[in-house]
Amino acid sequence: MRKPLVAGNWKMNGTRESAAELLRALVQGLEDGATAEVLVCPPFVHLADAQRLLRESDIRLGAQSLCAEDAGAFTGEISGAMLRDYDCSYVIVGHSERRSLYHEDDALVARKFMAAIRNELVPVLCVGETLEERESGTTVEVIRRQLTAVLNAAGIDAFANAVIAYEPVWAIGTGRTASPDQAQEVHREIRDILAAENVTIADSIRLLYGGSVKASNAAELFAMPDIDGGLIGGASLEAEQFLSIVRAAE
Ligand code: PEP
């Protein structure tokens, strides 16, 4: 039985004050507990406040990226060990915005994935095709390429402590969501790719869907057999929306 996971990717949003307000509202909204595991990934500078505000709650804390290296002359970077210091247990790697805006290629994503594992952080590995790739019928090929790069570098056993998020690029921040069938089809493919290496890991790994998930469409997506929760961008910035999505995963 896979425990659903609902993760909020705040991206580069919020002030110190608004971040604290959002966290307080989530803590209050979830004080009676939740069946799903709940994760928030605020910007790095809000992690210290988040660590303090979430101390008494079950909400997990994660970061949006990390450096592939563990320490040294890497100006502007944040290491896995630094994230652990702030009680992060998860970190997003390979988000499409990092891939496209900051030129993170498959090889770098694989190194970041391994840095997460090395530092006992659960990587949330994002994969997904662009609209052009979907329309040219290469979705599965793209997902396979993105996954294989990490599988070859890290090995299948590393996926026992990982989460994968399928995020079609054309659905991120666009208001255009993949249909439950479209998402399920790719999730099944992901499980099949992993099953070729290790059936147990393929069956137990949590596969999140991400891309314009809202309170109004979450339940039908989460009802699909291979969708184990969501990675939520825009809707994670509003406490009530995010809490409704968490409830939809229950
Ligand atoms: C994301 O950035 O991971 C994401 C899914 O964003 P949104 O929910 O806003 O589409």
Side-chain angles (χ1 to χ4, degrees):
M1 191 58 189
R2 299 181 294 262
K3 185 174 183 157
L5 171 65
V6 177
N9 172 15
W10 292 10
K11 310 193 188 191
M12 195 176 72
N13 289 298
T15 60
R16 188 173 185 189
E17 196 182 330
S18 71
E21 205 177 300
L22 177 53
L23 288 165
R24 281 194 198 97
L26 295 179
V27 169
Q28 196 182 10
L30 292 166
E31 85 199 333
D32 292 333
T35 323
E37 190 174 350
V38 180
L39 165 68
V40 291
C41 301
F44 290 132
V45 292
H46 298 321
L47 289 176
D49 285 345
Q51 177 190 34
R52 183 173 45 79
L53 289 164
L54 298 181
R55 194 162 281 146
E56 305 295 319
S57 97
D58 291 331
I59 301 173
R60 315 294 295 271
L61 187 57
Q64 298 171 21
S65 185
L66 84 171
C67 185
E69 306 296 333
D70 286 338
F74 301 100
T75 302
E77 291 290 295
I78 301 286
S79 73
M82 291 171 183
L83 299 179
R84 294 280 312 166
D85 256 354
Y86 288 90
D87 290 343
C88 286
S89 42
Y90 287 83
V91 62
I92 298 169
V93 297
H95 190 280
S96 73
E97 285 150 20
R98 303 286 328 163
R99 291 181 191 260
S100 66
L101 302 173
Y102 301 99
H103 314 292
E104 294 191 6
D105 60 12
D106 288 337
L108 179 57
V109 171
R111 289 175 51 229
K112 289 189 171 206
F113 181 98
M114 290 189 289
I117 299 282
R118 211 167 46 239
N119 287 285
E120 293 175 14
L121 293 159
V122 177
V124 179
L125 170 65
C126 301
V127 296
E129 81 288 1
T130 62
L131 185 58
E132 205 183 359
E133 288 162 339
R134 173 158 284 265
E135 286 176 345
S136 64
T138 56
T139 297
V140 173
E141 212 175 292
V142 170
I143 303 298
R144 184 178 290 279
R145 192 205 72 225
Q146 292 172 336
L147 265 183
T148 305
V150 182
L151 272 170
N152 287 347
I156 183 67
D157 289 349
F159 283 77
N161 297 311
V163 169
I164 296 175
Y166 167 55
E167 298 209 305
V169 179
W170 49 270
I172 297 179
T174 60
R176 192 177 159 187
T177 318
S179 71
D181 286 334
Q182 279 174 321
Q184 166 60 25
E185 195 181 342
V186 178
H187 282 227
R188 189 64 249 168
E189 288 287 349
I190 293 171
R191 240 184 256 292
D192 286 346
I193 292 168
L194 298 174
E197 308 272 336
N198 184 313
V199 177
T200 309
I201 290 174
D203 279 347
S204 59
I205 193 167
R206 288 178 294 179
L207 306 182
L208 311 184
Y209 168 77
S212 298
V213 177
K214 306 183 268 284
S216 56
N217 60 21
E220 57 177 10
L221 285 158
F222 298 164
M224 302 311 279
D226 288 296
I227 300 183
D228 308 310
L231 180 54
I232 322 298
S236 71
L237 296 169
E238 290 168 45
E240 270 320 309
Q241 273 276 333
F242 189 64
L243 289 168
S244 300
I245 295 170
V246 170
R247 282 179 216 117
E250 294 182 346

